[in-house]
Amino acid sequence: MKQTLFDKVWDSHVVESINKGPDVLFIDRHMVHEVTSPVAFLGLKNRKLSVMYPERTFATADHNTPTINQHLPVVDPLSRNQLKALEENANEHGITYWGLGHEKNGIVHVVGPEYGITQPGATIVCGDSHTSTHGAFGAIAFGIGTSEVEMVLATQCIMQSKPKKMRITVNGSLNKGVTPKDVALFIISKLTTSGATGYFVEYAGEVFEELSMEGRMTVCNLSIEMGARGGMIAPDDKTFEYIKGREFTPKGADWDKSMAYWKTLHTDNMATFDKEFIFNASEIDPMITFGTNPGMGMSITKPIPAASEIQGSKTTYEKSLEYMGYKEGDQMVGKQIDYVFIGSCTNGRIEDFRAFASIVRGHKRAKNVTAWLVPGSHKVLNSIKEEGLLDIFENAEFKLREPGCSACLAMNDDKVPSGKYAVSTSNRNFEGRQGPGSRTLLASPLVAAAAAITGEITDPRTLI
Amino acid sequence: MPYDSFNILTSTAIPLPIENVDTDQIIPARFLKATERKGFGENLFRDWRFNQDDSPKTDFILNNSAYKGKILVGGHNFGSGSSREHAAWAIYDYGFRSVVSSFFADIFRNNCLNVGVLPVQVSVEFLSQIFESIEQDPNTTLTVDLFNQKITLGAAEASEFFEINSYKKENLLNGYDDIDYLSNIKTDIQKFASTTPL
């Protein structure tokens, strides 16, 4: 039978199928962080259970961590307590733990691939919806709730109905100034924030084949923003090259054996999907969002659509524009902004900082802009220094912070004040996401950089 | 964590006719710092419910005493965004036992089922009818009958069948959870794991 990439990986991990119920899916690798795991560990304790396969679970601290003075005790007692709980739980159960200040610490979806925890054909879960990131390597990776975290700790399995399959193909080559983030925001704007709910997506076509692994991670990361459980891309030489020699990837004869399997991980010709979308790269411009969900994005050159042009509830749409302080028909270019955030599991990798540097080089930060540059991990931070990007940032009057999720969800002190506008390379523009009352404009690192030096929304192509 | 089993629930309902209600609205990230599952109901819909000085926003439905009940009725695509189970905990802790919408985000739906909140997906038309009926009379009741997979509006003026997989239905009817099931097939899992390299 002809199978899709998704079928091959899913079916090979089914321990058993329950009649008219979910599959029992075996999980190869489980990642945990401080926010969604403590109640799961507490559940284990109450049930008097231990972690079944501690060597398959990896812990890092990222969501509530400060991005300055990480060598000092965390000021917020609640955050400190949560971090302490993670450390204690990891130690008690013999789980690999990369806490605050550890050289391998960083955002869970950045460090997983960096150390080879993420591999093709694996099943990977984490109590975080952006776990879909790891699909860039041809893994089935998806976010889970805390009850499911407990389930995986206790049994290395999860009960899950097999999602439907969707393929999104983007052919052609990307225009100047168009990044993987723009491709993803474009797709989400076409499908809406719920257009892929119930599906697992495979991305195919020339655009994704051409993307670097970092770019593929950005695209797969945002799969959840159109409702998909996850997104994946067939592994190829670029994938194998990326993971080879990393700490947790197989070595020697095991590598050869794995490679033989990984090379079978592609959708067979004639395999079918429940839904297909095909786009052309020439349709895609640098994108920006103007509303309060990631589906409310458009070409940076366009005016905000009228309520009469959109699908769905007009009341919800109007409420969203009111929150943003925008009107139908407004042009985005030229609007003043207050904050710029580059970082997160979406755009906190070295390639993103290179893109940011390419625009800000030789310019100065606009006086009205507060900018937070937050690397996704210590490894990214070190590369920024080694590649000389830090000098470019400092010459342009930007400061680099320490790794973490930071202003993407503002659990730490990196909060955008009420009413202020932030151009953010993160993944969600929900009301209050970056701090109570904050207004988020999602965009690529290039658009963020252009706004950071001009102080207003700017088409980055005018600066390239 | 154990939860009350679910069978039949008849209650008035609280309408929230907004689409794409994301889990950041249900519970903002700054309230996710607990290490125990306690007190999340206080911060349910925090920023829609309270001003920044913690005074209640009088125009928000949860602050309108005319509306109460154990059923929350939300607009299309309810529970999108973050996987935080805290959203389902906050809904449960506030006192809701069922959420009705025309469409749910996947992870939120699973989280609800795992903590004893029944997500009931109805047609777009039926959802409109529910909103209209409650708007006309806040004392309108809904009956959610899990065993028969049927939701009824008012005194049987309209009803609809809803889907739920039979495994999850059995769990909710009895208050079981997935770990109970998985613990009983541990040897099968061990066998499977032994053939799956790390």
Side-chain angles (χ1 to χ4, degrees):
Chain A
M1 192 179 140
K2 303 294 178 196
Q3 284 187 302
T4 67
L5 166 62
F6 174 72
D7 291 327
K8 288 178 185 178
V9 182
W10 183 281
D11 294 354
S12 67
H13 286 82
V14 175
V15 178
E16 67 169 59
S17 291
I18 298 170
N19 186 27
K20 293 183 184 168
D23 287 341
V24 175
L25 194 70
F26 187 80
I27 299 303
D28 291 316
R29 293 189 167 185
H30 181 203
M31 305 204 61
V32 298
H33 61 82
E34 73 277 22
V35 175
T36 58
S37 69
V39 173
F41 282 108
L42 198 61
L44 284 189
K45 199 172 170 181
N46 293 339
R47 292 177 202 256
K48 300 187 172 49
L49 294 173
S50 55
V51 177
M52 193 174 181
Y53 294 107
E55 66 276 19
R56 292 182 182 271
T57 294
F58 302 81
T60 182
D62 57 3
H63 276 60
N64 72 25
T65 55
T67 56
I68 50 167
N69 293 327
Q70 289 188 350
H71 61 290
L72 298 175
V74 174
V75 179
D76 175 11
L78 291 175
S79 294
R80 200 191 319 142
N81 189 39
Q82 224 173 26
L83 292 166
K84 190 168 143 257
L86 180 66
E87 182 172 5
E88 287 171 358
N89 287 326
N91 290 341
E92 185 186 337
H93 294 280
I95 292 166
T96 302
Y97 167 68
W98 299 336
L100 193 57
H102 191 284
E103 59 175 1
K104 294 174 191 167
N105 175 259
I107 303 174
V108 60
H109 311 309
V110 176
V111 299
E114 278 176 346
Y115 294 95
I117 296 167
T118 309
Q119 290 173 23
T123 47
I124 302 170
V125 294
C126 171
D128 187 282
S129 59
H130 294 107
T131 307
S132 57
T133 312
H134 309 266
F137 294 80
I140 285 184
F142 54 91
I144 58 176
T146 297
S147 296
E148 294 168 319
V149 172
E150 186 181 338
M151 222 178 280
V152 178
L153 290 171
T155 70
Q156 208 57 43
C157 287
I158 192 169
M159 319 266 299
Q160 207 78 183
S161 299
K162 190 176 179 182
K164 288 181 281 186
K165 291 165 286 180
M166 177 187 288
R167 179 162 59 188
I168 298 175
T169 305
V170 185
N171 293 316
S173 54
L174 295 176
N175 293 320
K176 185 179 91 167
V178 176
T179 71
K181 179 66 165 288
D182 301 300
V183 176
L185 287 176
F186 172 84
I187 294 170
I188 302 163
S189 75
K190 294 292 176 195
L191 269 73
T192 80
T193 189
S194 59
T197 303
Y199 293 86
F200 213 99
V201 174
E202 179 178 345
Y203 298 97
E206 292 145 338
V207 163
F208 304 112
E209 286 164 17
E210 286 301 314
L211 291 185
S212 66
M213 291 314 296
E214 283 84 356
R216 292 178 188 181
M217 282 189 253
T218 298
V219 171
C220 289
N221 172 279
L222 289 162
S223 303
I224 180 72
E225 306 311 333
M226 51 189 176
R229 271 330 284 278
M232 63 201 303
I233 295 173
D236 58 11
D237 288 344
K238 224 180 267 181
T239 318
F240 307 138
E241 188 59 34
Y242 180 100
I243 61 173
K244 195 168 187 178
R246 293 186 189 253
E247 185 174 340
F248 290 93
T249 42
K251 311 284 182 314
D254 289 338
W255 170 265
D256 297 336
K257 208 173 140 194
S258 296
M259 276 293 279
Y261 169 56
W262 293 340
K263 287 191 167 170
T264 67
L265 296 176
H266 52 79
T267 291
D268 298 330
N269 282 335
M270 309 301 285
T272 56
F273 290 82
D274 299 291
K275 211 166 193 175
E276 291 233 37
F277 289 93
I278 300 173
F279 300 107
N280 196 291
S282 62
E283 299 173 65
I284 310 174
D285 275 345
M287 299 283 292
I288 194 153
T289 65
F290 55 89
T292 55
N293 75 55
M296 298 175 77
M298 62 180 184
S299 159
I300 197 166
T301 62
K302 295 254 175 69
I304 294 176
S308 56
E309 295 169 49
I310 61 113
Q311 293 182 338
S313 156
K314 308 286 181 254
T315 322
T316 300
Y317 185 76
E318 282 157 6
K319 180 177 176 289
S320 176
L321 288 191
E322 190 190 328
Y323 180 86
M324 293 302 293
Y326 291 154
K327 292 191 182 63
E328 300 169 28
D330 279 3
Q331 287 291 339
M332 293 301 283
V333 168
K335 282 190 182 295
Q336 195 171 314
I337 58 106
D338 310 292
Y339 283 74
V340 166
F341 170 56
I342 170 161
S344 85
C345 59
T346 308
N347 281 126
R349 298 185 183 78
I350 188 62
E351 195 173 279
D352 303 311
F353 287 90
R354 285 183 198 136
F356 193 86
S358 73
I359 297 276
V360 304
R361 182 196 302 266
H363 295 273
K364 296 279 184 218
R365 175 176 55 82
K367 294 295 170 228
N368 61 312
V369 171
T370 302
W372 291 323
L373 281 61
V374 186
S377 68
H378 278 283
K379 207 178 176 87
V380 174
L381 177 71
N382 293 337
S383 300
I384 289 171
K385 290 177 180 168
E386 283 159 17
E387 293 184 15
L389 303 181
L390 183 59
D391 296 333
I392 297 171
F393 296 150
E394 287 181 345
N395 288 336
E397 296 175 0
F398 291 99
K399 281 187 194 141
L400 189 65
R401 298 173 82 94
E402 294 170 282
C405 298
S406 180
C408 173
L409 82 169
M411 278 193 78
N412 66 359
D413 287 338
D414 306 343
K415 289 181 171 62
V416 175
S418 186
K420 298 291 184 189
Y421 291 96
V423 177
S424 179
T425 67
S426 55
N427 40 58
R428 289 186 174 136
N429 49 353
F430 298 149
E431 285 184 31
R433 171 80 177 183
Q434 297 194 282
S438 61
R439 292 158 160 169
T440 302
L441 310 163
L442 298 176
S444 74
L446 292 179
V447 171
I453 57 171
T454 62
E456 57 186 41
I457 298 170
T458 304
D459 188 334
R461 291 171 296 192
T462 60
L463 295 164
I464 296 173
Chain B
M1 186 159 160
Y3 53 82
D4 302 336
S5 58
F6 193 107
N7 196 347
I8 291 186
L9 172 66
T10 297
S11 170
T12 50
I14 298 189
L16 193 61
I18 299 170
E19 292 185 349
N20 306 319
V21 172
D22 59 78
T23 53
D24 272 82
Q25 306 319 311
I26 299 174
I27 187 155
R30 63 187 187 280
F31 300 110
L32 309 184
K33 293 185 182 179
T35 51
E36 291 178 280
R37 194 186 140 180
K38 267 187 198 157
F40 289 101
E42 285 168 38
N43 295 313
L44 176 69
F45 291 113
R46 180 79 202 188
D47 293 337
W48 285 355
R49 210 168 126 200
F50 298 101
N51 292 305
Q52 282 176 32
D53 64 3
D54 293 337
S55 60
K57 290 185 177 178
T58 49
D59 58 351
F60 187 61
I61 195 80
L62 292 189
N63 295 324
N64 183 338
S65 59
Y67 296 93
K68 42 190 160 320
K70 291 184 171 182
I71 300 172
L72 178 65
V73 187
H76 197 76
N77 192 30
F78 193 88
S80 60
S82 159
S83 59
R84 61 189 69 168
E85 193 168 297
H86 312 67
W89 297 342
I91 285 171
Y92 186 93
D93 191 48
Y94 187 87
F96 293 114
R97 290 296 174 270
S98 178
V99 184
V100 178
S101 176
S102 54
F103 198 77
F104 289 97
D106 282 335
I107 304 178
F108 176 78
R109 183 202 296 265
N110 282 351
N111 288 342
C112 282
L113 289 167
N114 283 335
V115 305
V117 173
L118 177 61
V120 175
Q121 185 164 322
V122 297
S123 66
V124 172
E125 296 74 25
F126 195 62
L127 186 70
S128 305
Q129 201 180 342
I130 296 172
F131 281 138
E132 279 165 30
S133 302
I134 301 175
E135 195 184 326
Q136 280 164 19
D137 179 6
N139 295 320
T140 303
T141 58
L142 285 171
T143 298
V144 177
D145 176 351
L146 174 60
F147 186 79
N148 292 307
Q149 298 178 231
K150 191 171 139 185
I151 174 167
T152 306
L153 175 63
E157 63 189 75
S159 66
E160 205 170 88
F161 176 83
F162 63 87
E163 296 285 346
I164 180 169
N165 79 52
S166 52
Y167 166 81
K168 279 292 180 194
K169 177 174 164 180
E170 199 66 18
N171 272 4
L172 279 171
L173 285 169
N174 295 291
Y176 301 156
D177 76 4
D178 290 352
I179 295 181
D180 301 332
Y181 185 99
L182 291 170
S183 297
N184 278 8
I185 58 163
K186 210 160 183 175
T187 47
D188 297 339
I189 297 171
Q190 282 165 336
K191 207 169 133 197
F192 192 93
S194 68
T195 63
T196 310
L198 182 62

